[in-house]
Amino acid sequence: MIPDRYTHTAIALHWLTALLIVALFPLGVYMADLALSPLKLKLISYHKWLGVTVFLLLLLRLAWRLGHKPPPLPDGMPLWQRHAANGLHLVLYLLLFAIPLSGWLMSSAKGFQTVYLGVLPLPDLIGKDKALGDLLREVHEVLNMTLLVMLLAHVAAALRHHFIERDGILARMLPFLDRGDSK
Amino acid sequence: MMRLLSLLVLLASGVAHGAEFGTLLAEKSSIAFVSKQMNVPVEGAFRKFTAQIVLDPARPEAGRAQIEIDLASIDAGSEEANEEVKGRSWFNVRDFPRAVFSSTSVKSLGGGRFETGGKLSIRGKALEVRAPFTLRQEKDILTVDGSFQLKRLDYGIGSGIWSDTSVVADEVQIKFHFVLSPTRK
Ligand code: HEM
């Protein structure tokens, strides 16, 4: 039996974000170690654009969530698991907010403004400051490593629900499983 | 006391009759540039240069300038970039340590604006450039402000993989700000 599902919009936003992060993360690690080259400048720009897109998607998701409560967790679920799930989701939201923010600030501190898609300049909230730029780079990296750990836990929990507990938790976030009983 | 007084009188008359400004206040002057990388404006500057400029605000057309830039003093926005642009495919500072501008003319554009023409040589290549500028005089300080655009590929700056202008634009905006005091005699 499939419990109440997430809305199409929530599902689309979730998987789009997932896809972008799967692209962004290795891109970030790869480009960071490249020697200066036109390729590096291109990749950093693409990384920034994708990262800003994740940020925009996050804002959309939060706005959508305000008006559309996620389906409730199944009745038989132990309290610690409920807390763990809600806590983990909160941490993921915080990271998806803080990581792009740190990237944006880092760029400004390093003196390279972010111009979204090459056309829309984002304001520099802070001025050029090398020490601060280096610090924000560390912050960006540490937050990203935290994200990696949290995402592994997130995926492991989803798979556990699906293959061990078989409670339909994963299915309600999967696209194309709609039986016409949700919008 | 008398000497000081006569010196003051001399200075005052000099200013009144249109003095010649020819002493560069290097700490207050700057040569900066803006390049575009992936459509992002990136500021840079040359920290070391000499400028022999002689300008009389009463007769700007008689002015002349010889400016020499120490290219290794470049600040291109980051340490990584500084190292890169000193290299062979950019300025090649080992073989061509200096960029030199020699003016050949100054003309008035009207409305307090002027234009100097001259030769700018970089990497052993001398090309004609024109740079509009304005003058501002406050007592014994004359400020020259101007800017012009050059195309880096005309000089072969950034060749090979870097000649891709979709990453680093061909056009580079050069901005100069010279602060002069009267010629010391
Ligand atoms: C959710 C969004 C993002 C993710 C998952 C992400 C991930 C990463 C990762 C994993 C790295 C490599 C860190 C390392 O190992 O050194 C990185 C580097 C970087 N990120 Fe992001 N990033 C995101 C958003 C952004 C945004 C929005 C910007 C700028 C507007 C940005 C700018 C950068 C820069 C400039 C670097 C390279 C730092 C350097 O090499 O000095 N990132 N990112």
Side-chain angles (χ1 to χ4, degrees):
Chain A
M1 194 196 90
I2 297 181
D4 204 9
R5 290 169 54 76
Y6 281 92
T7 58
H8 288 316
T9 310
I11 293 175
L13 289 170
H14 173 273
W15 289 105
L16 203 54
T17 304
L19 193 74
L20 286 174
I21 289 177
V22 166
L24 262 169
F25 197 99
L27 179 57
V29 174
Y30 175 68
M31 75 191 193
D33 288 338
L34 282 183
L36 186 61
S37 67
L39 178 67
K40 178 170 182 157
L41 293 182
K42 278 189 202 168
L43 293 182
I44 291 184
S45 282
Y46 301 156
H47 178 88
K48 291 183 182 187
W49 303 347
L50 292 176
V52 171
T53 308
V54 169
F55 192 76
L56 296 175
L57 288 178
L58 174 78
L59 298 183
L60 273 181
R61 285 179 82 178
L62 293 180
W64 182 258
R65 203 182 154 119
L66 282 179
H68 305 78
K69 281 227 170 316
L73 294 168
D75 287 340
M77 198 167 166
L79 197 62
W80 74 267
Q81 277 189 20
R82 292 170 179 273
H83 285 318
N86 290 331
L88 184 52
H89 294 162
L90 180 66
V91 168
L92 287 172
Y93 278 130
L94 289 175
L95 287 169
L96 289 189
F97 182 81
I99 290 173
L101 185 66
S102 63
W104 175 21
L105 294 176
M106 176 213 318
S107 300
S108 297
K110 289 188 166 209
F112 293 87
Q113 197 185 10
T114 301
V115 179
Y116 187 48
L117 305 178
V119 289
L120 185 72
L122 305 191
D124 286 319
L125 298 186
I126 52 179
K128 187 168 177 177
D129 178 339
K130 188 176 180 310
L132 188 58
D134 290 342
L135 177 70
L136 284 166
R137 191 198 176 288
E138 298 291 321
V139 169
H140 195 65
E141 190 173 347
V142 169
L143 289 174
N144 268 300
M145 295 314 137
T146 314
L147 178 70
L148 183 63
V149 173
M150 295 300 155
L151 282 181
L152 289 176
H154 183 66
V155 171
L159 294 178
R160 180 170 173 272
H161 280 292
H162 194 68
F163 291 110
I164 298 175
E165 313 217 344
R166 297 167 188 266
D167 54 9
I169 287 275
L170 175 60
R172 62 193 203 154
M173 187 48 111
L174 292 181
F176 317 122
L177 288 181
D178 198 352
R179 294 183 178 165
D181 52 358
S182 70
K183 25 180 177 63
Chain B
M1 187 62 196
M2 272 317 285
R3 274 181 56 193
L4 186 66
L5 258 178
S6 54
L7 188 73
L8 282 175
V9 169
L10 210 83
L11 271 176
S13 64
V15 171
H17 295 121
E20 195 182 74
F21 287 80
T23 309
L24 183 77
L25 304 180
E27 333 74 60
K28 295 194 174 132
S29 304
S30 62
I31 299 178
F33 59 88
V34 181
S35 71
K36 281 207 163 181
Q37 299 175 13
M38 296 295 290
N39 234 6
V40 180
V42 179
E43 309 227 349
F46 294 99
R47 302 285 175 219
K48 266 203 248 159
F49 55 87
T50 59
Q52 277 143 19
I53 304 174
V54 180
L55 255 180
D56 179 349
R59 292 187 310 129
E61 288 81 358
R64 54 189 192 277
Q66 165 97 3
I67 294 154
E68 294 201 17
I69 300 174
D70 176 359
L71 293 173
S73 74
I74 193 169
D75 174 0
S78 69
E79 277 162 30
E80 222 181 0
N82 291 350
E83 282 318 303
E84 176 67 31
V85 296
K86 286 176 208 168
R88 288 191 68 83
S89 47
W90 292 87
F91 286 112
N92 189 5
V93 298
R94 205 152 50 93
D95 296 344
F96 305 102
R98 272 179 291 281
V100 180
F101 172 76
S102 308
S103 71
T104 48
S105 70
V106 177
K107 65 176 188 197
S108 173
L109 300 176
R113 292 171 51 76
F114 304 91
E115 185 185 83
T116 177
K119 280 218 170 353
L120 176 62
S121 31
I122 310 174
R123 286 181 65 114
K125 202 166 173 185
L127 297 173
E128 210 49 62
V129 296
R130 291 157 177 278
F133 66 90
T134 59
L135 291 179
R136 202 177 69 239
Q137 187 183 354
E138 272 167 37
K139 291 191 184 125
D140 57 350
I141 292 291
L142 183 68
T143 310
V144 185
D145 264 300
S147 73
F148 65 100
Q149 201 175 61
L150 65 74
K151 296 195 164 180
R152 63 182 180 93
L153 293 177
D154 288 351
Y155 289 97
I157 303 168
S159 56
I161 49 171
W162 288 106
S163 56
D164 180 353
T165 52
S166 75
V167 179
V168 180
D170 196 8
E171 295 80 15
V172 180
Q173 192 71 25
I174 316 286
K175 299 187 286 190
F176 52 90
H177 174 79
F178 298 121
V179 181
L180 304 168
S181 64
T183 307
R184 290 193 202 104
K185 299 234 166 78

